[in-house]
Amino acid sequence: MTPVLTYPRTTRGPVAAWRRFVAVLVKEFIQLRRDRVTLISMIFISLVQLLLFGYAINTDPKELRTAVLAQDESVFTRSFLAAMRTTGYFDIRERVASESELDDLILSGAVQFGVQIPSDFGRQLVRGERPALLVIADATDPSATVNAVGALEGIAARAFERDLIGPTAALASTPPPYEIRIHRRYNPVGDTHLNIVPGLMGTILSMTMLIFTALSVTREIERSTMESLLAMPIRPVEIMLGKIAPYVLVGAFQMVLILSAAWLLFDVPIVGSLALLLALTTLFVIANLAVGYTFSTVAENQLQAVQMSFFFFLPNILLSGFMFPFNGMPDWAQWIGETLPMTHYLRIVRGIMLKGADLSHLAIPVGALGLFTLVAMAVAVNRFRQTLD
Amino acid sequence: MRATLPSPAQPIKAAGAFAGDIAIEVSGLTKSFNGRTVVSDLSMEVRRGLIYGFLGPNGSGKTTTIRMLCGLLTPDAGRGTCLGYDILTQSDEIKRHVGYMTQRFSLYEDLSIRENLEFVARIHGLDDPRGAAGDALHRLGLENRAHQLAGELSGGWKQRVALGASILPGPQLLLLDEPTAGVDPKARRDFWDEIHRLAGEGLTVLVSTHYMDEAERCHEIAYIAYGRLLAEGTVSNVVAQSGLETWTVTGIALRQLAETLRGQPGVDMVAPFGSALHVAGRDPALLMRATEAARADERYSWRRDKPTLEDVFIDLMDRGRDNFG
């Protein structure tokens, strides 16, 4: 039997604080490694989200369902429809007989485009009266229709090249002998483009980081290990940093995964500095970890912690400019949006990846994100109860 | 670990307590939760190197008291020191020198035994956490199960490992909150052997328990009920101070006898003990009068006896209920 030994040790100062931090860090790492379900879900969630969103949210969709109301059965009508098909954007599925039928199809979402060719379109065209063709676009999702509309304008000039021969050949010159009136329904101002995949970085990182740290303190309380941890000589800030640090690495791993997929699968460019992007993404990861940890100190059980995370996650998705164009939101929504880390991160990530912005351009969002992180950490450390009172 | 039966430990005789000789000294400790007083005006003193038993029914305030001693709860009133450090202001220091084993299993079940021990060693800033964990494993006799997850251990081993973890940083005082609840008798005995060995090495141990045999293994005990300290001292002192006159009755139809005697003036306690009945009262004269008829009954044989510790506690609890309950 060996007697109780007194080992050489350091109990005060930065070395001791570092050792305590490492103690928690190592423990959290082992627990994370052993918790296969969590680990796999972290990698899996990010991949599935990326693939689902990335492919489902196609920024350049083709073969959009189209209905035609042809009130003029001239050669020009056939040529125009043929030209629409060749762009690849339009899948002409229906021929309708009245305007109200056309309206119904668009309203119900059965088609995204309606083309109305007025009754004496061919005759007016030949007479050089520049008749109007009406194209109705369902613009509820602007990114879904914007390219198709662009393609329409492209075909305007060339559609009738072969039909306008002989005496009407003069009409084939620019400007085109007719006019396409595009009527964007439901959302007249179309914005957003290419934003989706960079925005997904924010969404995926935010969700996984939030939830997994939100559980970290409540889990210790539920498993009754907290009492013992509190009875040991360790400070709240050391516990927090030790618990957050492993997830910074997990976040870095997810970040590399998403960026590779964005580049390989979706051809999203990184115009700006990759190093800057990585550094600022890490800041965003820490901001979310700090929020998750704060929830963890407030929630009474793991279920509550998850609920709080979702409560925070939703406005981050809805009001940050990820889901809807930020400038299209009402003022009050923009004010809320400005307080969310995701809003600033989206500006950073879009700025760097798409526009090639550098740090000097991003001073405001970076400052906001940094401030947010500090405040969240301060709240977390303050909220952390060092006693069981 | 050897499974030898330790000799009943002798209290360390302290001639004139001086400050360095006292491990715990508190007075007037009071704590209430949501208006319900859990610990009320509790004062106690524990000398260094002693095993101090903390007894009392469930909800009597034992855990709350222990938590106040190690800085996990702030008392509403009262003051005190633990290892010379103020429990109100120096809980950081107390945490460095006190090992606390909680009532519920406090190790990380998804960490191996070795990883748990290394975690504790690192928290305490040890220079060589791996070495210290290795020593603790050796001490526990668990070298070949070092990589087993703590959650997979049996109840008895869990408690042994938890004890090993709390003594690893070399504390001067151990607070054990019902460490042997739900543990089988052999494992309980081994556990107590270890506690006695630690006390022999100079550690002070405060241990709460429900088991009477464990209480009798303590150098000193305190009985607490309804948040109040009702009796304190060595086991023989506590028994002697109780002033209980106890009779052991054997014979047939003891159940009937118990029914007849219970509640009679002068009969403070009637409790069956195996094939015998314990009858006790604080006033010998009253007790004799109340049992006169029964003692004359030929079916029973009456023998005057020393009260057991359990008799004393049950009596203390009843009296406590009358006064504070």
Side-chain angles (χ1 to χ4, degrees), chain A residues 28 31-32 35-46 204-220 243-244 246-248 250-251 254 288-296 302 305-306 309-310:
Chain A
E28 293 288 324
Q31 289 183 309
L32 183 60
D35 189 356
R36 289 277 152 77
V37 179
T38 302
L39 199 60
I40 290 170
S41 70
M42 279 205 195
I43 296 165
F44 198 64
I45 285 175
S46 46
I204 294 169
L205 286 172
S206 182
M207 187 164 126
T208 48
M209 295 296 108
L210 261 180
I211 289 183
F212 292 115
T213 38
L215 297 178
S216 69
V217 173
T218 35
R219 192 190 293 129
E220 297 242 8
K243 278 180 170 294
I244 282 180
Y247 292 99
V248 176
V250 173
Q254 286 190 327
N288 278 290
L289 292 175
V291 176
Y293 193 80
T294 308
F295 290 159
S296 198
Q302 298 195 41
V306 172
S309 303
F310 271 104

Side-chain angles (χ1 to χ4, degrees), chain A residues 58 60-65 87-90:
Chain A
N58 188 347
D60 188 12
K62 305 243 164 119
E63 298 288 332
L64 300 170
R65 291 185 301 268
T87 62
Y89 282 105
F90 304 97

Side-chain angles (χ1 to χ4, degrees), chain B residues 304-322:
Chain B
R304 254 194 93 160
D305 217 341
K306 267 179 66 181
T308 65
L309 197 55
E310 188 161 325
D311 294 334
V312 174
F313 286 160
I314 290 172
D315 176 56
L316 280 171
M317 206 166 114
D318 289 345
R319 270 194 282 167
R321 184 169 54 219
D322 296 344

Side-chain angles (χ1 to χ4, degrees), chain A residues 1-4 7-12 19-20 23 31 34 220 224 227-228 230-231 233 387-389, chain B residues 31 67 72 74 93 95-96 100 105-106 108 110-111 115 119 122-123 125 127 135 139 169 194 201:
Chain A
M1 196 73 198
T2 9
V4 178
Y7 298 98
R9 72 186 73 193
T10 313
T11 55
R12 275 162 240 269
R19 282 180 183 176
R20 294 190 292 263
Q31 289 183 309
R34 226 150 256 164
E220 297 242 8
S224 78
E227 186 177 355
S228 202
L230 290 178
T387 63
L388 302 167
D389 284 302
Chain B
K31 181 77 185 173
R67 285 175 174 170
L72 283 178
T74 321
E93 289 299 330
K95 287 173 183 178
R96 288 203 178 97
Y100 172 35
F105 185 55
S106 60
Y108 294 98
D110 49 353
L111 255 54
E115 287 158 353
F119 173 69
R122 285 199 184 93
I123 292 273
D127 290 346
D135 288 349
R139 185 187 174 97
E194 179 71 12
E201 289 163 21

Side-chain angles (χ1 to χ4, degrees), chain A residues 271-273 276-277 280 348-357 362:
Chain A
V271 181
S273 152
L276 183 64
L277 180 64
L280 295 182
I348 290 170
V349 76
R350 285 169 180 170
I352 296 175
M353 287 180 84
L354 306 176
K355 301 180 200 161
L362 300 170

